[in-house]
Amino acid sequence: MLLPLRMLLLCVHFVLASLLGLLVSICRPFNPDNSRIAARFYAVPAQYILGLRMRLDLDGVLKHQRPAVIVANHLSNYDLFVFGHAVPHRTVTLGKTSLKWIPFFGQLYWLAGNVLIDRGNAIQAKKAMLTTTDTLQHKDMTIWVFAEGTRGHGKGLAPLKKGAFQMAINAGVPIIPLCANNYVRGMSLNRWRSGTVAMRALAPIPTAGLTLDDMPALMAKCHAQMKACIDELDREAGTTSHKA
């Protein structure tokens, strides 16, 4: 009985949080802090609706020196409610253009100043990347990227895509790896305490002076650090795979 009740409450909460965030964004369209405020609207109530225990070590991302590129692992659709705790001031995200068609949420996402990218249109994607580079260099903002490009569903960290690293190198800003345990492995929404989310921000990885020739090594370094951190968080939270 707990699962359907939680799903119902979560759906109602999603609509209400989207409407509230949309109202804020209409009052101050494209304000770079809209995303952080909307993220809290989603995350804080959802933590209690879902019955998640949160273990957060986020000073490295919430108190970071702007600008930067945040690279986070992507686990499930619940990430909207989980990672909302970790969005710092003046942060926007990169997302697919298809997001704009989600009622209320899509309009909020656009008005919050996030960047929509059509991955099937190379010209538009390149233009969006140039825009984000300018944003990082001149507008005192941070960009958040789920660099795997797709949800992992608790199967571990997938290879990282180039976009986030290209942006960081072109703008000369650091990369901040942000890691969450594979919480979906152990999450059971039929239990009162459904699971544990452990999240940690790692030390910034500088990119000043690097060129695109250095990108493969930079990507490998970031991936190795994130994988080691996620494995540690899994052990701490008890979400280690049975195959591990």
Side-chain angles (χ1 to χ4, degrees):
M1 286 296 296
L2 201 52
L3 174 60
L5 177 60
R6 275 183 166 145
M7 290 298 97
L8 176 60
L9 289 175
L10 195 64
C11 288
V12 173
H13 163 60
F14 176 79
V15 173
L16 292 177
S18 297
L19 288 172
L20 187 56
L22 187 57
L23 178 61
V24 170
S25 296
I26 288 173
C27 293
R28 40 183 241 171
F30 308 112
N31 186 297
D33 210 32
N34 286 348
S35 290
R36 179 185 65 86
I37 294 172
R40 298 300 191 276
F41 289 161
Y42 287 114
V44 176
Q47 171 187 342
Y48 300 101
I49 293 172
L50 294 172
L52 293 171
R53 182 183 291 107
M54 310 296 291
R55 297 180 180 177
L56 306 178
D57 180 8
L58 300 176
D59 280 356
V61 69
L62 295 179
K63 298 180 180 180
H64 78 287
Q65 186 71 31
R66 292 186 304 268
V69 174
I70 297 170
V71 173
N73 57 319
H74 197 7
L75 290 142
S76 76
N77 289 334
Y78 294 110
D79 285 353
L80 172 66
F81 307 109
V82 170
F83 280 98
H85 293 277
V87 180
H89 289 274
R90 297 183 64 84
T91 296
V92 296
T93 68
L94 298 186
K96 300 178 292 186
T97 53
S98 58
L99 291 174
K100 67 182 179 182
W101 302 113
I102 301 175
F104 305 126
F105 175 82
Q107 294 74 52
L108 163 60
Y109 192 83
W110 174 63
L111 282 171
N114 297 295
V115 181
L116 293 166
I117 294 180
D118 182 359
R119 293 174 181 168
N121 187 324
I123 295 176
Q124 289 297 322
K126 184 176 181 179
K127 182 179 178 180
M129 295 297 286
L130 291 174
T131 299
T132 56
T133 299
D134 178 70
T135 296
L136 287 167
Q137 288 180 324
H138 304 295
K139 297 183 179 178
D140 186 34
M141 290 167 60
T142 288
I143 293 180
W144 177 303
V145 182
F146 287 112
E148 295 164 282
T150 188
R151 295 177 294 276
H153 300 292
K155 297 178 182 178
L157 186 65
L160 305 178
K161 295 186 179 298
K162 296 178 180 179
F165 302 90
Q166 184 175 341
M167 280 190 299
I169 290 173
N170 287 341
V173 302
I175 289 170
I176 301 176
L178 177 62
C179 306
N181 68 314
N182 288 287
Y183 64 89
V184 291
R185 289 177 182 167
M187 190 168 69
S188 175
L189 295 179
N190 268 319
R191 295 197 308 253
W192 184 252
R193 287 291 185 183
S194 64
T196 299
V197 174
M199 200 180 308
R200 182 175 300 154
L202 301 181
I205 302 174
T207 68
L210 299 184
T211 69
L212 294 182
D213 291 337
D214 300 306
M215 189 163 62
L218 178 65
M219 293 173 65
K221 179 178 181 179
C222 184
H223 189 281
Q225 289 187 7
M226 291 182 68
K227 184 179 184 306
C229 180
I230 293 167
D231 289 345
E232 182 178 349
L233 293 175
D234 278 337
R235 289 192 294 272
E236 293 176 359
T239 50
T240 303
S241 169
H242 293 303
K243 296 179 180 180

